[in-house]
């Protein structure tokens, strides 16, 4: 079945550091891939998405590229801010999975001033 | 637009009690889902609906019931609460027209503690 694996946290960085959160997936079809972010005390919200191979999703300085050859969708940001502290979820949606969204376990990011 | 709203924000139950978690959306979305969030496990799908009158089970449906009598509302019922149902519950909705590229919109969550 479909699954998403992302790096365990927490990840602790200083402000302006480079961020990478790894995400790999298993899917039987051609999924769409997502990164959602959850700020403290809130629900999840979409950060970015990519719907086909080699697409790059980007938003708020975050980027992720859909790599079919390595089944990966790693999240990157060149210079993190304290306000980026949150939990980040990688997810996929696949027609063969009935369009249901499968989430990774989440990675908590702490950014220190 | 209010988006997706959930009530209550927080609830404490005793084992064996029943309750209904409310979810409503004002975006005219066809698809609605209920997830539970537990530490280290991400979000797991409980039940979902692809339109009024149509519901189906997700990954962890046992102990929960749903119904969808209107497009706007999708309540989740706990039939007889158990400590294993202590969790944070999120309702989500999506348009339903994009298929696999669909973005989901989440409510703020209900934190449930079962003693």
């Amino acid at each position: 079945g479909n699954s998403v694996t992302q790096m365990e946290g927490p990840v602790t960085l200083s402000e302006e550091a480079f961020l990478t959160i790894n995400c790999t997936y298993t899917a039987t079809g051609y999924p769409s891939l997502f990164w959602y972010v959850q700020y403290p005390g809130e629900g999840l919200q979409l950060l970015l998405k990519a719907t086909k191979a080699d697409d790059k999703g980007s938003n708020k300085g975050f980027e992720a590229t859909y790599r079919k050859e390595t089944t990966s969708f790693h999240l990157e940001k060149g210079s993190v801010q304290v306000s980026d502290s949150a939990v980040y979820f990688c997810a996929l949606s696949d027609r063969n999975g009935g369009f249901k969204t499968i989430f990774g376990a989440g990675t908590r990011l702490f950014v220190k001033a | 637009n209010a988006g997706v709203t959930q009530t209550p924000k927080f609830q404490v139950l005793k084992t064996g009690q029943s309750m209904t978690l409310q979810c409503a959306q004002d975006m005219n979305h066809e698809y609605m889902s209920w997830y539970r969030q537990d530490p280290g496990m991400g979000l797991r799908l409980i039940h979902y609906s692809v339109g009024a009158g149509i519901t189906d089970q997700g990954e962890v449906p046992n102990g929960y019931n749903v119904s969808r009598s209107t497009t706007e509302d999708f309540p989740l019922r706990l039939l007889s609460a158990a400590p294993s149902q202590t969790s944070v519950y999120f309702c989500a909705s999506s348009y339903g027209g994009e298929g696999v590229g669909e973005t989901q919109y989440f409510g703020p969550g209900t934190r449930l503690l079962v003693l």
Side-chain angles (χ1 to χ4, degrees):
Chain A
N2 295 344
S3 65
V4 175
T5 303
Q6 59 182 108
M7 64 188 288
E8 289 188 26
V11 174
T12 302
L13 295 173
S14 297
E15 213 166 18
E16 299 184 3
F18 184 86
L19 169 70
T20 300
I21 300 178
N22 290 337
C23 171
T24 57
Y25 68 89
T26 301
T28 53
Y30 300 92
S32 289
L33 301 174
F34 307 82
W35 278 101
Y36 284 86
V37 59
Q38 183 182 30
Y39 298 104
E42 298 182 9
L44 281 71
Q45 55 185 275
L46 180 71
L47 180 60
L48 54 84
K49 69 180 184 182
T51 57
K52 60 182 188 297
D54 299 325
D55 269 1
K56 178 187 282 188
S58 62
N59 185 25
K60 299 181 182 180
F62 291 88
E63 292 183 341
T65 301
Y66 189 147
R67 303 283 188 201
K68 195 170 189 312
E69 64 275 14
T70 55
T71 62
S72 65
F73 192 55
H74 303 322
L75 182 68
E76 296 181 336
K77 186 175 185 183
S79 176
V80 294
Q81 306 300 313
V82 172
S83 57
D84 293 327
S85 298
V87 181
Y88 293 82
F89 292 90
C90 187
L92 71 81
S93 175
D94 180 5
R95 181 173 285 109
N96 290 344
F99 302 107
K100 293 192 287 289
T101 303
I102 306 297
F103 289 87
T107 302
R108 184 176 295 275
L109 170 67
F110 292 105
V111 180
K112 302 180 297 185
Chain B
N1 283 352
V4 180
T5 58
Q6 292 183 238
T7 56
K9 284 189 168 54
F10 181 71
Q11 183 71 46
V12 179
L13 290 179
K14 295 181 180 176
T15 297
Q17 286 184 315
S18 62
M19 78 161 293
T20 299
L21 280 64
Q22 301 292 345
C23 174
Q25 52 91 8
D26 62 358
M27 297 175 281
N28 204 31
H29 284 170
E30 289 295 323
Y31 287 14
M32 296 187 74
S33 304
W34 275 103
Y35 295 89
R36 58 179 289 172
Q37 182 181 25
D38 301 294
M41 302 189 73
L43 274 73
R44 292 183 292 169
L45 183 65
I46 304 171
H47 286 284
Y48 65 101
S49 168
V50 299
I54 306 169
T55 64
D56 206 348
Q57 296 181 351
E59 183 184 355
V60 288
N62 292 342
Y64 307 95
N65 267 358
V66 292
S67 60
R68 185 99 179 270
S69 56
T70 67
T71 299
E72 295 77 21
D73 299 299
F74 190 44
L76 177 73
R77 296 182 189 83
L78 278 69
L79 308 172
S80 176
S84 61
Q85 294 179 303
T86 293
S87 188
V88 182
Y89 292 85
F90 288 101
C91 180
S93 73
S94 58
Y95 170 58
E98 294 181 30
V100 292
E102 201 66 56
T103 297
Q104 294 199 68
Y105 297 82
F106 284 82
T110 293
R111 189 175 295 273
L112 177 67
L113 175 62
V114 182
L115 302 175

